[in-house]
Amino acid sequence: HIAQLSATVGGGSVGPDPASIISSSALQMAASRWLSDQGAEHGDARSLLDASRLADASRQGLLAAHELCAREASARPKSAAAYPWLSPTREPEPHPEAPDAPDASLEAGE
């Protein structure tokens, strides 16, 4: 789910909050399937009801993760050029008053 959300909604990334919600939703779905199997095997209506509730909670979590991922993507800068300090490849600009080469007299101990 995270990879698909990244490709379709997140603009190539998914933040930690939506990723956490998706992980929790996956655990809820796994528990739901297990309870559903147990309920069917033992004829336990309570397990089947709990399985249904967990599946619904998983679905709600996935919807929330989708919405949060979309909001994060829309708030993210569209271009690194608009925010040069975000670009890791940006070369530092030389200070206008800094000399191009070290002063030789300082290196000689004078």
Side-chain angles (χ1 to χ4, degrees):
H1 279 93
I2 293 175
Q4 184 177 10
L5 200 59
S6 172
T8 58
V9 178
S13 68
V14 173
D17 293 335
S20 175
I21 294 170
I22 292 169
S23 296
S24 295
S25 292
L27 292 172
Q28 288 173 320
M29 184 55 72
S32 168
R33 298 294 163 91
W34 184 81
L35 279 172
S36 180
D37 289 346
Q38 293 297 309
E41 183 178 327
H42 301 292
D44 183 11
R46 174 73 179 184
S47 291
L48 293 171
L49 180 61
D50 288 343
S52 176
R53 288 181 178 150
L54 281 169
D56 186 55
S58 173
R59 179 186 67 83
Q60 285 297 111
L62 292 175
L63 290 172
H66 183 279
E67 177 65 23
L68 184 55
C69 188
R71 287 181 186 208
E72 287 179 354
S74 67
R76 204 174 296 125
K78 303 297 182 234
S79 167
Y83 305 92
W85 57 88
L86 296 178
S87 176
T89 59
R90 183 174 158 232
E91 292 293 323
E93 297 176 16
H95 192 276
E97 297 174 9
D100 291 336
D103 188 357
S105 63
L106 293 176
E107 288 181 10
E110 296 174 12

